[in-house]
Amino acid sequence: MSEESSQKRWGHLRKVLERSSPFSHPEFEPSSEVLDFLMTSCKILVIGAGGLGCELLKNLALMGFRQIHVIDMDTIDLSNLNRQFLFRHKDIGSSKAEVAAAYINKRVAGCQVTPHFSKIQDFDEGFYKQFHIIVCGLDSIVARRWINGMLVSMLNYDDNVLDQSSVIPMVDGGTEGFKGNARVILPGINACVECTLDLYPPQVNYPLCTIANTPRLPEHCIEYIKLIQWPKENPFGVPLDGDDAQHLSWVYEKALERATQFNIPGMTYRLVQGVVKHIIPAVASTNAVIAGICATEVFKIATSCCIPLNNYLVFNDVDGIYSYTYEAEKKDNCLVCSQKPLILDIKDPHSFKLKQLIDILSESAEYQMKNPGLTTVIDGKNKTLYMSTIKSIEERTRVNLDKTLVELGIKDGQDILVADVTSPTTVVLKLKYLTSDVEMS
């Protein structure tokens, strides 16, 4: 591309980056070097190549970002084609990340998108450290929490003072139907995902120990059939398909049997559909709006041309168009970013059972863990209290679920180490007994 063509192509960006403005960031200095940095050095990671991800990749490429990586573990399905416009019918069954990257690289001259057909958990902090900004177009709260925990774990402190160079900003977008949100997270500085966990709807996943041993809801019975009985019996010789009426009828009949066994009312075919398929409506226009906002925030952070969003925006176009912004506050006792263990009050450790602790971690809006594994140190030795993710350990530790904390030898003030898919690092809980008759030493 000639110099003249390049000047014309990026003229709109040069007007923003090479001229002063009353809306500029106080520390912004207009310069041609800003655009050069954006186009040659700035590395962006896009997580997710679905409805939001396709829009984000298109926006970022057309805004001048050339060093872009994209991660997505999914393949293209027919239902994606109505809004994920980087894909075609011939791409069905292929990697979303690889097809999206190839399309952008072909369509936008000079842009180099590197795809990663994998999970975010497959990479260590060395991989994430190479990026200047991370932008998320995810449909999973678990994945959001994991990448949030990874970025917080990468922070460096010197005498309790945060090293600003270790901060990697994260721009996060989310949509559901005609509603959406965008937020700017500066790890260690403002509110992280975990600080505002109660803003998210309750999780639809249930702890394995509950659905296998003590189901209380019809959803527990459905999850049991889906996760345990279907793989065991393999009734149709194929994986469970939420769009297959035969499959859903089988799950409904088995779930109804289990619900009857445990005297659990409320089992319906429609409920089975909702639990099995995890139905979330998707609207292309909402994705476009939220992705546009997120891409703008990435541009503002990368260039310092304008003050970033502070720090949470809500969008709603159900009746007209409405949005507002507010500052989500950093939580002093945040499980992830407060840099200190969270204290959990226990009223009566003599009757409080381990399975009750797991239920709190799984069902409370404050924790929303998926399948927490608990370990501790007793008499100087590591002890696994319960872990559901490894079959042999689950079978060996299942007996602990019905034991009280005192029976397990857990004392007042003891640390419980919790591992869960929602965090890349171990979470520390300190138990505080509210009764005075429990030995503390």
Side-chain angles (χ1 to χ4, degrees):
M1 182 181 294
S2 66
E3 180 65 25
E4 182 180 351
S5 298
S6 179
Q7 289 286 343
K8 184 177 180 181
R9 179 182 179 185
W10 305 113
H12 58 298
L13 293 182
R14 294 187 185 279
K15 289 176 182 177
V16 174
L17 301 177
E18 297 179 7
R19 302 191 303 189
S20 60
S21 164
F23 302 105
S24 297
H25 192 285
E27 299 178 4
F28 175 68
E29 295 183 6
S31 169
S32 60
E33 294 179 358
V34 180
L35 182 58
D36 291 338
F37 163 75
L38 184 147
M39 299 180 69
T40 61
S41 302
C42 188
K43 295 186 73 172
I44 305 295
L45 174 63
V46 176
I47 302 180
L52 272 175
C54 285
E55 294 277 359
L56 286 167
L57 288 169
K58 176 259 295 180
N59 292 346
L60 294 170
L62 294 177
M63 293 176 87
F65 293 97
R66 292 185 171 181
Q67 301 298 317
I68 304 173
H69 288 238
V70 58
I71 300 177
D72 197 299
M73 62 178 284
D74 289 338
T75 55
I76 299 163
D77 184 75
L78 177 63
S79 63
N80 301 148
L81 302 186
N82 71 329
R83 63 196 181 282
Q84 297 173 25
F85 54 87
L86 299 182
F87 311 138
R88 299 293 181 266
H89 196 278
K90 64 180 176 60
D91 300 320
I92 291 174
S94 300
S95 158
K96 286 186 177 182
E98 292 173 357
V99 173
Y103 191 102
I104 295 292
N105 291 339
K106 180 180 179 181
R107 189 68 181 266
V108 184
C111 187
Q112 181 59 51
V113 181
T114 303
H116 301 277
F117 180 31
S118 55
K119 302 176 183 178
I120 56 174
Q121 293 88 349
D122 293 339
F123 301 96
D124 59 15
E125 66 176 42
F127 172 80
Y128 292 107
K129 278 183 177 179
Q130 67 180 301
F131 300 103
H132 292 91
I133 304 167
I134 292 175
V135 55
C136 298
L138 292 162
D139 59 3
S140 165
I141 297 174
V142 170
R144 279 189 179 89
R145 295 173 67 185
W146 192 93
I147 190 64
N148 174 77
M150 171 59 76
L151 296 181
V152 171
S153 72
M154 289 160 52
L155 298 175
N156 294 325
Y157 290 85
D158 186 9
D159 292 332
N160 291 323
V161 177
L162 177 63
D163 178 2
Q164 298 285 334
S165 66
S166 66
V167 176
I168 299 177
M170 181 172 82
V171 179
D172 178 48
T175 65
E176 183 171 318
F178 291 98
K179 300 177 182 179
N181 70 276
R183 63 189 303 181
V184 173
I185 296 173
L186 304 176
I189 298 175
N190 65 6
C192 75
V193 170
E194 211 75 20
C195 289
T196 56
L197 192 58
D198 55 354
L199 293 177
Y200 295 102
Q203 65 178 45
V204 294
N205 296 298
Y206 304 97
L208 190 60
C209 61
T210 298
I211 66 175
N213 302 306
T214 55
R216 299 184 302 278
L217 302 172
E219 290 88 346
H220 292 161
C221 301
I222 300 168
E223 286 286 330
Y224 177 86
I225 306 304
K226 172 185 170 184
L227 298 176
I228 298 175
Q229 198 161 339
W230 182 283
K232 183 179 179 180
E233 297 189 20
N234 198 13
F236 298 96
V238 293
L240 176 60
D241 183 354
D243 294 315
D244 190 309
Q246 274 189 308
H247 291 197
L248 290 176
S249 295
W250 189 91
V251 173
Y252 170 68
E253 291 172 4
K254 296 296 182 180
L256 183 60
E257 289 176 9
R258 186 167 176 81
T260 302
Q261 177 186 350
F262 286 91
N263 297 316
I264 299 172
M267 181 65 66
T268 65
Y269 183 85
R270 186 166 183 173
L271 180 63
V272 170
Q273 282 182 303
V275 173
V276 171
K277 295 180 67 174
H278 296 286
I279 299 172
I280 299 175
V283 177
S285 59
T286 311
N287 286 336
V289 170
I290 296 301
I293 293 169
C294 290
T296 301
E297 292 305 317
V298 172
F299 183 82
K300 287 154 65 174
I301 294 170
T303 63
S304 296
C305 68
C306 192
I307 298 174
L309 174 71
N310 185 29
N311 51 37
Y312 202 107
L313 178 144
V314 174
F315 172 81
N316 188 332
D317 62 346
V318 174
D319 298 307
I321 296 177
Y322 171 73
S323 69
Y324 68 94
T325 62
Y326 67 92
E327 182 180 0
E329 296 185 359
K330 197 169 185 289
K331 213 172 167 185
D332 290 336
N333 63 339
C334 174
L335 197 62
V336 172
C337 71
S338 66
Q339 304 296 312
K340 55 187 178 184
L342 191 67
I343 296 175
L344 184 63
D345 292 338
I346 305 295
K347 290 183 178 180
D348 186 2
H350 289 286
S351 61
F352 191 89
K353 296 181 178 180
L354 183 65
K355 64 182 179 183
Q356 292 176 267
L357 176 58
I358 293 175
D359 285 344
I360 289 174
L361 296 176
S362 302
E363 299 174 7
S364 167
E366 188 174 0
Y367 303 106
Q368 295 189 38
M369 294 185 180
K370 191 173 182 182
N371 283 311
L374 281 62
T375 61
T376 190
V377 177
I378 296 178
D379 296 330
K381 297 181 179 179
N382 291 327
K383 179 176 181 179
T384 300
L385 300 173
Y386 183 74
M387 186 175 296
S388 65
T389 53
I390 301 176
K391 184 179 180 182
S392 60
I393 299 179
E394 196 281 331
E395 291 173 349
R396 179 167 53 85
T397 58
R398 188 183 303 165
V399 65
N400 292 337
L401 293 173
D402 287 315
K403 293 183 178 180
T404 68
L405 299 184
V406 172
E407 288 173 339
L408 289 167
I410 299 173
K411 303 183 185 303
D412 182 32
Q414 189 157 332
D415 288 344
I416 303 294
L417 307 180
V418 186
D420 191 65
V421 294
T422 57
S423 174
T425 57
T426 300
V427 174
V428 180
L429 291 178
K430 186 178 288 293
L431 301 185
K432 181 180 179 182
Y433 294 168
L434 301 182
T435 56
S436 58
D437 59 341
V438 180
E439 183 184 2
M440 296 182 61
S441 60

